[in-house]
Amino acid sequence: MKTFYLCTRICISLGVFFAMFSLSLYSILLVVAVAHLMLTAVMALFARHRVQYLSLAVVMGIFGFSFLVLMFFANDLELASPVKLGPEALIGLTATVFLQSIYPLSIPMPAYLQWPRMFLYAAPAFFLFVLYGLLLLLGFQPTRILTWQDFYGHLFSGDILLRLAFLGLSGYYIFNIFRLPRTLLHQPDIPRYIVAYCIALGVSSCIFMWLSVDYSPSLFEVWLFIMTLQNLYMCFRTLETLALSLPKPEMRAVEEEPAAAVAEDGQEEDFNEANRLRFERVEFWMQHHHDEWKDYTFGRDQLCAAVGLNRHLLLQSVRSQGYYNIHEYINTYRIAELQRMITRGEVRTLGACQDAGFGTVKTARSSFEKVTGGTLDDYLAKYK
């Protein structure tokens, strides 16, 4: 939800920015190209550790450099009169929807991107690209269609049939984009935001198809805007997912509880030191009141009352030490307690996980995987 709000703010900010400064298409393409090249650099860094992100980096790079090339034709694109079924737009449509139909699968199903299967999937597009390129080399002059009457007048010419082939193939790739959510839902570990992203990707592809059928400079700018926001959203959610999987801070025993006055005095001198002292107060309480937080009804409000801090200060102190929120911090203690109980033989079944403070087995499983990186079932089977 926070990521949605962030993307909404970015969308509004960019819209206001474009409206205030009346950016030309050249400037918009520059912003879009820089954004995609930035995403390329981030995904390439991730790909060094997880190969699943390699195709994302490659596709984002293709988009980024393509927008850089389009900058040289920005004036022509901005002043172009409405054209029906422009061959350049149709070729770009086919290439774009092909790339968009494969790269959302790279994170959950990297095996899908095996070279033989991907080449077979791209073979019809490659055939049309090569055929159209050969016709241009042989001196073929495309027909310029400004009205639909021109289209009907050349309906059965090779030029128009080839354009319709591009359009039909693009429709097939877009259809596969809309099929992705149904395919992904069969995978239990797929984040739901990828499913929503694929649906939005199909909608933006339909806008691009409309743009290719009946070109309009203003619609082209709208599509650039939507596509960039979608890819930024995917990048932000990827960053968020990786941040949640980072190693959690080690628990350190606090022998003496810092006084509240010491923490307040430290705030005037050093903001970070004040947060550290508050966190030590919270740690001291958590380490000496096991019975309280082992109750599954224990939560943020109870912890605030116990340590004498309001929600803002408690969250601030917890986040200063690397935890995402107070709920995650409490569950970290519960997971550590659950591991001790399993190793001591006090917990032998999933149902007994409630003794460590978890309300449901589902919560225990998800928290265990987030904190340790492994599965609760495997850990329990190891010591059973």
Side-chain angles (χ1 to χ4, degrees), residues 36 59-67 96 99-100 103 227 231:
H36 281 83
V59 172
M60 292 297 176
I62 293 174
F63 286 150
F65 286 108
S66 298
F67 292 134
T96 300
L99 293 173
Q100 290 180 328
Y103 80 79
M227 180 186 182
N231 292 331

Side-chain angles (χ1 to χ4, degrees), residues 150-215:
D150 298 334
F151 169 77
Y152 292 118
H154 302 82
L155 181 59
F156 296 103
S157 65
D159 182 14
I160 301 302
L161 293 178
L162 192 57
R163 298 188 199 187
L164 294 177
F166 276 116
L167 193 62
L169 183 60
S170 300
Y172 168 71
Y173 289 144
I174 294 175
F175 174 73
N176 287 337
I177 293 176
F178 281 111
R179 288 178 56 194
L180 286 177
R182 183 178 180 182
T183 304
L184 296 177
L185 286 175
H186 292 291
Q187 306 295 322
D189 299 328
I190 300 303
R192 288 295 179 264
Y193 73 84
I194 294 184
V195 176
Y197 172 77
C198 292
I199 296 175
L201 201 63
V203 174
S204 68
S205 299
C206 291
I207 295 175
F208 195 13
M209 175 176 282
W210 181 13
L211 174 69
S212 303
V213 172
D214 191 0
Y215 177 77

Side-chain angles (χ1 to χ4, degrees), residues 248-251 279 318-319 321-325 328-329 332:
K248 299 298 181 292
E250 295 183 1
M251 294 182 183
F279 183 74
V318 167
R319 283 186 169 176
Q321 303 302 313
Y323 293 94
Y324 181 66
N325 55 31
E328 180 188 74
Y329 170 71
T332 301

Side-chain angles (χ1 to χ4, degrees), residues 327 331-332 335 358 362-373:
H327 181 70
N331 279 344
T332 301
I335 290 299
F358 293 102
K362 181 179 179 181
T363 303
R365 277 175 168 163
S366 62
S367 299
F368 191 92
E369 187 171 355
K370 287 181 180 179
V371 173
T372 66

Side-chain angles (χ1 to χ4, degrees), residues 80-99:
S81 58
V83 178
K84 316 296 182 183
L85 295 174
E88 300 85 359
L90 289 172
I91 292 174
L93 169 67
T94 305
T96 300
V97 296
F98 164 74
L99 293 173

